[in-house]
Amino acid sequence: MKILNILWVLFFIVSCSKNENHPYTFYYWKTNLKLNQEEKKVLAQASVPYLYTRFFDVDKIGGKFQPVAVITKDQSFQTDKQVVPTVFITNQTLLNISSEEIKFLAESIHHLILKKTEEYHLKINNEIQIDCDWTAGTRNDYFKFLKELKRVSGKNITCTLRLHQVKDKKQTGIPPVEKVYLMCYSTSSPLEKSDKNSILDVATLKSYLSRIEEYPIKTIEVALPIYSWGIVTNHLEKHKLINALSTKDLQNEHFKKLSENEAEVLKDGFYFGSYLNKGFKIKVEEISGEQLEDVIRFLEKKIPHFNIIYYQLDSKFVLDRKF
C-alpha cells in the first residue's frame, strides 16, 4: 500500500510539472483582409475559435475624429473563426474630449463596425476590443468611453493592457471591463539607441509585471509577439524601421555582418523596398521560441489560466514556428 501511495505522489508531481497547454489564436492587423494558404492552414490549427481583427484606427485630425485605414476585404479572407472587431484609438483622440464627443465617438465606432461587418459578411462574436495606450491624463474619459460603447453596442467590451498600465495602475487606473489583453511586447522604443530588444526584453517585462497577480481584473488573456523588424541607423544616428526583416535577410553580398543580428551596408542601393546608403547599419529584432516560453512560464505562476493571442498572423512570421 505504501508503494502505491508513493507511486501516486510521484505521478501527481510529474503531472503538475508538465507545461500547461494554452489555447491560442492570432491578431490580424493588415488593412486588406487577405489570407494565403499558409496563413489559412496555421489559423485553422489555432485552438481558440476567434480571430482578433483590426477594423480601423481612430485619430483626431484637424480637431475632428477620423477613422484611419479602414479595412477592405479580399475574396481569399475565408475562415471558420469568429471575428472579434478590434479598434485602435490614439491617446490624443481622448485629450480634452467632452461628454457629447464621447457619446458621438462611441456611436460612430459602433456604426462603422456594423457597416463593415455587413458589407463584408463577417461572422463576428459578441465582443469589441479597444486598443489604446491611455495615460493618467486621459484615463477618466477613456473609461467613460468604454462604458458608453458598451451601452450603445450591447456588446462585451474588452481592452488591451500595456505593461506600464500594470506597473503604474494607481496613476493610470483600472478600466471598467471584465477582461483585458496583456500586451507582452513593445518593452521599449525601437527608435532609441539601446542594446535591448525593443520588441521584447524579458527582464524588463518581468520587472513591469512582478505584481501582476495583484491586478484587480482577474480575467487576463496574453498577447505575445511573433513579429520582427529591422532598425536602420544612418550617418546622423537617426533610425527608421523596416517591417518583417529577419536575420536571414542580412545574408547579402553587399552587407558586412557585424554580429548575429547586425550588419553594415557596403554599397548604396535599394534593399527591402528602401534606399540605403553605404555605411548605414541594420539591426534585426526578432523573438525566439525560448523567449516566448520564458514569458509563458513566468506568467503561469501569476495568472491562473490564460489564452494566448499571437501578434500577428502573417506568413512571414508564422512559417517554421511551433505554436
Side-chain angles (χ1 to χ4, degrees):
M1 193 68 180
K2 284 184 178 179
I3 293 173
L4 284 174
N5 285 338
I6 291 169
L7 287 173
W8 174 250
V9 170
L10 285 172
F11 174 77
F12 181 76
I13 290 171
V14 170
S15 297
C16 290
S17 66
K18 286 183 180 178
N19 292 341
E20 182 183 347
N21 287 323
H22 297 275
Y24 72 91
T25 186
F26 299 90
Y27 276 106
Y28 188 92
W29 215 261
K30 299 175 188 175
T31 302
N32 184 25
L33 305 187
K34 189 176 182 180
L35 292 172
N36 61 31
Q37 290 305 312
E38 182 64 32
E39 291 159 352
K40 287 180 181 178
K41 179 183 174 183
V42 170
L43 181 58
Q45 293 170 346
S47 46
V48 171
Y50 307 126
L51 176 63
Y52 293 82
T53 306
R54 174 202 157 279
F55 271 45
F56 51 88
D57 301 343
V58 178
D59 201 358
K60 204 170 193 176
I61 302 168
K64 294 183 178 180
F65 302 122
Q66 298 284 347
V68 179
V70 181
I71 54 167
T72 57
K73 180 176 173 288
D74 184 85
Q75 289 182 343
S76 66
F77 190 83
Q78 297 174 355
T79 175
D80 291 332
K81 304 292 184 188
Q82 291 183 57
V83 166
V84 179
T86 304
V87 177
F88 172 73
I89 302 178
T90 65
N91 190 52
Q92 73 167 7
T93 299
L94 302 165
L95 289 172
N96 305 312
I97 192 171
S98 68
S99 296
E100 286 304 311
E101 287 175 323
I102 288 173
K103 290 180 180 179
F104 171 80
L105 187 61
E107 289 171 357
S108 299
I109 287 173
H110 172 52
H111 289 149
L112 187 51
I113 288 174
L114 287 180
K115 180 182 176 183
K116 290 299 158 185
T117 299
E118 293 170 6
E119 183 180 350
Y120 297 137
H121 307 289
L122 298 173
K123 182 175 65 177
I124 65 172
N125 74 337
N126 197 42
E127 176 183 356
I128 295 174
Q129 183 180 135
I130 300 299
D131 178 22
C132 179
D133 190 8
W134 84 87
T135 58
T138 56
R139 58 177 259 184
N140 292 338
D141 289 324
Y142 177 56
F143 296 168
K144 288 176 187 175
F145 160 77
L146 292 174
K147 291 178 182 177
E148 184 64 18
L149 183 60
K150 181 177 179 65
R151 187 189 70 79
V152 301
S153 69
K155 300 277 188 178
N156 295 325
I157 305 302
T158 62
C159 70
T160 55
L161 182 67
R162 284 163 171 75
L163 301 180
H164 74 89
Q165 292 161 344
V166 176
K167 184 181 178 183
D168 304 324
K169 63 180 183 289
K170 287 185 179 178
Q171 289 78 31
T172 55
I174 310 301
V177 296
E178 295 179 0
K179 182 196 289 187
V180 289
Y181 292 76
L182 182 63
M183 294 174 63
C184 294
Y185 45 91
S186 297
T187 47
S188 61
S189 170
L191 303 182
E192 294 175 2
K193 190 172 183 179
S194 173
D195 294 332
K196 294 180 179 179
N197 187 318
S198 67
I199 295 174
L200 173 60
D201 179 74
V202 177
T204 300
L205 177 136
K206 289 180 177 180
S207 172
Y208 271 74
L209 300 181
S210 62
R211 301 173 73 175
I212 182 67
E213 65 272 21
E214 298 174 9
Y215 199 75
I217 299 172
K218 296 305 178 187
T219 305
I220 300 176
E221 311 290 28
V222 173
L224 293 177
I226 54 172
Y227 64 95
S228 64
W229 55 32
I231 304 171
V232 178
T233 304
N234 68 11
H235 301 115
L236 300 175
E237 292 296 314
K238 291 189 176 181
H239 311 289
K240 80 168 187 175
L241 292 179
I242 298 178
N243 191 38
L245 289 196
S246 70
T247 51
K248 293 177 184 176
D249 293 312
L250 299 183
Q251 297 170 5
N252 186 308
E253 62 178 340
H254 300 307
F255 294 168
K256 180 174 79 173
K257 287 286 288 287
L258 302 176
S259 68
E260 184 60 34
N261 67 322
E262 291 183 278
E264 181 178 332
V265 179
L266 297 177
K267 182 181 178 182
D268 294 355
F270 278 97
Y271 305 97
F272 324 116
S274 295
Y275 191 83
L276 306 180
N277 293 111
K278 178 181 178 182
F280 281 22
K281 293 183 174 62
I282 307 169
K283 174 187 175 185
V284 168
E285 294 187 333
E286 51 190 353
I287 304 301
S288 69
E290 289 75 21
Q291 286 172 296
L292 296 181
E293 280 296 311
D294 193 356
V295 172
I296 292 168
R297 300 289 86 84
F298 168 76
L299 291 176
E300 283 175 346
K301 298 171 185 174
K302 296 179 172 291
I303 303 172
H305 301 286
F306 55 86
N307 293 344
I308 294 172
I309 302 93
Y310 290 104
Y311 183 89
Q312 64 164 319
L313 180 63
D314 187 316
S315 55
K316 295 173 184 173
F317 305 137
V318 299
L319 280 173
D320 304 322
R321 193 179 280 274
K322 293 179 181 179
F323 297 104

